[in-house]
Amino acid sequence: MHAAALMLADSRFPGGGHAHSGGLEEAVARGLVHSESDLAPFLAGRLRTAGELAAVFAGAAAHAGRRDAGVDHWRLLDAELDARTPSPAQRTASRAQGRGTLRAVSHLVLDTLAAATPRPHHPIAVGAVVGASEGAPADAALTVAYLAVSGPASAAVRLLGLDPFAVNALVMRLIPVMHTVAEYAVRHAGTDPADLPAPAAVGLDLLAEAHDRHSQKEVRLFAS
Amino acid sequence: MPVEHTHTHPVNFDPTATEPDPHAAATHAGRAFRLGIGGPVGSGKTALVAALCRALGGQVELAVVTNDIYTTEDADFLRGAGVLDATRIEAVQTGCCPHTAIRDDISANLDAVEHLEQHHPGLELIIVESGGDNLTAVFSRGLVDAQIFVVDVAGGDKVPRKGGPGVTTADLLVINKIDLAEQVRADLGVMVTDAHRMRGELPVITQSLVRTPDAPEVAAWVRDRLAAQPA
Ligand SMILES: Nc1nc2c(ncn2[C@@H]2O[C@H](COP(=O)(O)OP(=O)(O)O)[C@@H](O)[C@H]2O)c(=O)[nH]1
Ligand SMILES: [Mg+2]
């Protein structure tokens, strides 16, 4: 694992990730998740859907970052991920974290990405940072696959007061799946952006929209 | 009144010594002055923000970012009080960690600040209210140029003595709700003495927003800070 990827996966990385629950807060508010045993399928499902999409684009972005792709390529990659993110609330959450990532890291390659889009999607920013640091697509893909699980897992501890050791055991149990997801992403890292896979998580899209609606009217502690 | 720190000290090797931060916060000419208001839950941060909006709103182009854990409630309070146009208030969600959002990972707050600057060119002052937190929560200098820490007499007269970075290092300490001192049997004299002992030469203001709803002394302090900014 490349150290740039470790930095990005660290919950202490100041890229704004701590305020996002990946749909978990809304699921908790609806009573869908209230214990470690409901959290397990939520995390596994998220990893195989939203996590897989993020891994595919992080891998492709790392590939692009390594060869210092031009503005047009970054714009295309970002637009293709937008097209695979039907929920406006999800897009906003992803772009907020992408912008946060760029803010926290400075590198020439990232200037090209920022010129294409100052608020790129989060997986693209992560992939660009890893690629720009000579990290591999696998490092970037594994990072976002891990974050797809660790973010909501940490939110569950904070929102439900779950036992952090039990929650961490759930994360640990998903490690082989994270590698499977990352390997799948790596196979597509050099693919034309338009032909990249498009795994969907309709349930998470709907939760994100509901979260956004509710945060206008009632208490929500997370941004997404 | 804030004291300009111009003279130099010999290096002090006492790790427990409290002194004003010798490093001036980085100022960025041409953008709004960023003022953090922190302190425990219920000490009167939102009330102070509203007071400053009333006192300064006529003369200073200002906007507010609120981080209260129940985000929209504070923003709603300011809108409802009619002290600020709704487009000049941004609410930030902190993921259950108000201190993280103002100190360790300031991304969401910087996003909110930049959003306000983009939509209101010519802003001179942006006030960032933290969510209520404990005595150790201070603002990062990457987020604000100066910070006020608000405690209240109802929290007990031992609060200044407890110290913590909020009490010891904030650019201004406000001891609020002095109208309640008698009811809660807080000794205001002890609080002020302790505060000065903990803070060295940093300023302390006591106030009651019931008696002086426009927070005149704090507003004057803010005006001085704004005037001291390079144009
Ligand atoms: N008696 C009294 N009440 C105050 C004063 N300042 C604020 N309050 C009240 O204290 C409560 C909490 O104030 P608020 O500004 O919401 O506190 P925050 O949590 O720090 O933002 C509200 O009911 C205010 O009206 C004061 O100087 N005196
Ligand atoms: Mg408040």
Side-chain angles (χ1 to χ4, degrees):
Chain A
M1 192 83 168
H2 196 282
L6 296 178
M7 173 187 78
L8 292 160
D10 188 341
S11 66
R12 283 166 287 194
F13 176 70
H18 77 99
H20 294 269
S21 79
L24 195 271
E25 183 175 25
E26 185 62 30
V28 167
R30 288 166 177 252
L32 299 173
V33 174
H34 44 72
S35 65
E36 285 92 353
S37 59
D38 330 302
L39 182 61
F42 182 92
L43 296 179
R46 193 164 196 282
L47 175 56
R48 292 314 300 248
T49 54
E52 195 164 283
L53 180 64
V56 162
F57 276 80
H63 193 276
R66 277 171 84 95
R67 57 190 161 77
D68 199 1
V71 172
D72 288 344
H73 185 82
W74 288 118
R75 200 173 285 138
L76 196 60
L77 207 52
D78 195 69
E80 288 295 338
L81 183 47
D82 225 32
R84 288 160 178 75
T85 313
S87 148
Q90 295 261 52
R91 291 183 188 180
T92 304
S94 171
R95 291 190 181 285
Q97 292 176 83
R99 166 80 181 120
T101 303
L102 290 197
R103 212 200 302 270
V105 182
S106 73
H107 192 288
L108 235 49
V109 170
L110 302 179
D111 292 346
T112 316
L113 170 58
T117 162
R119 298 178 74 82
H121 278 291
H122 184 226
I124 294 178
V126 167
V129 172
V130 171
S133 321
E134 312 271 311
D139 297 322
L142 199 53
T143 299
V144 295
Y146 171 73
L147 288 173
V149 171
S150 70
S154 156
V157 171
R158 283 179 262 166
L159 285 169
L160 294 165
L162 299 184
D163 175 356
F165 304 128
V167 171
N168 196 65
L170 297 179
V171 175
M172 179 97 185
R173 216 187 291 158
L174 287 171
I175 285 176
V177 190
M178 293 175 200
H179 282 281
T180 308
V181 165
E183 281 155 23
Y184 173 75
V186 168
R187 287 203 290 281
H188 294 281
T191 304
D192 187 329
D195 296 329
L196 285 168
V202 182
L204 289 173
D205 290 338
L206 294 172
L207 285 177
E209 287 302 302
H211 180 108
D212 190 47
R213 269 197 309 283
H214 287 141
S215 64
Q216 321 279 335
K217 289 194 229 90
E218 43 185 277
V219 172
R220 283 291 179 274
L221 302 171
F222 286 81
S224 78
Chain B
M1 284 294 288
V3 183
E4 275 304 317
H5 198 70
T6 46
H7 58 287
T8 53
H9 290 288
V11 176
N12 187 345
F13 289 104
D14 176 0
T16 61
T18 46
E19 287 177 12
D21 187 333
H23 311 285
T27 51
H28 303 265
R31 67 141 171 80
F33 187 77
R34 299 172 184 176
L35 175 67
I37 298 189
V41 179
S43 62
K45 298 180 294 298
T46 305
L48 178 59
V49 172
L52 290 175
C53 291
R54 276 193 301 270
L56 303 170
Q59 308 121 43
V60 178
E61 285 289 325
L62 61 81
V64 172
V65 177
T66 172
N67 278 244
D68 202 291
I69 188 162
Y70 293 127
T71 54
T72 49
E73 300 208 336
D74 272 354
D76 288 347
F77 171 78
L78 293 173
R79 287 182 198 118
V83 288
L84 210 59
D85 173 56
T87 65
R88 289 180 181 239
I89 306 168
E90 280 286 302
V92 164
Q93 270 119 341
T94 64
C96 305
C97 297
H99 55 275
T100 303
I102 59 163
R103 187 185 61 201
D104 315 68
D105 185 351
I106 56 180
S107 297
N109 270 298
L110 285 177
D111 250 10
V113 164
E114 285 172 8
H115 177 87
L116 286 167
E117 281 175 340
Q118 267 163 22
H119 287 78
H120 300 280
L123 274 183
E124 295 161 281
L125 173 65
I126 296 180
I127 301 175
V128 184
E129 182 193 345
S130 79
D133 212 310
N134 60 43
L135 296 172
T136 66
V138 286
F139 285 86
S140 157
R141 285 167 188 276
L143 177 60
V144 299
D145 301 311
Q147 55 191 305
I148 300 176
F149 200 74
V150 183
V151 299
D152 70 330
V153 300
D157 56 19
K158 64 203 172 299
V159 167
R161 188 160 60 239
K162 286 184 186 170
V167 166
T168 58
T169 69
D171 299 287
L172 173 65
L173 179 71
V174 171
I175 300 175
N176 194 31
K177 305 194 191 179
I178 56 170
D179 56 294
L180 299 180
E182 213 167 296
Q183 282 97 314
V184 300
R185 291 164 201 244
D187 187 332
L188 198 56
V190 165
M191 287 186 92
V192 172
T193 310
D194 286 347
H196 282 299
R197 186 167 49 78
M198 300 303 287
R199 289 171 56 76
E201 48 192 273
L202 287 168
V204 178
I205 290 176
T206 56
Q207 69 169 15
S208 157
L209 291 174
V210 173
R211 292 180 191 155
T212 50
D214 286 355
E217 284 184 70
V218 179
W221 182 87
V222 175
R223 271 197 207 92
D224 284 343
R225 294 303 299 237
L226 290 174
Q229 280 301 94

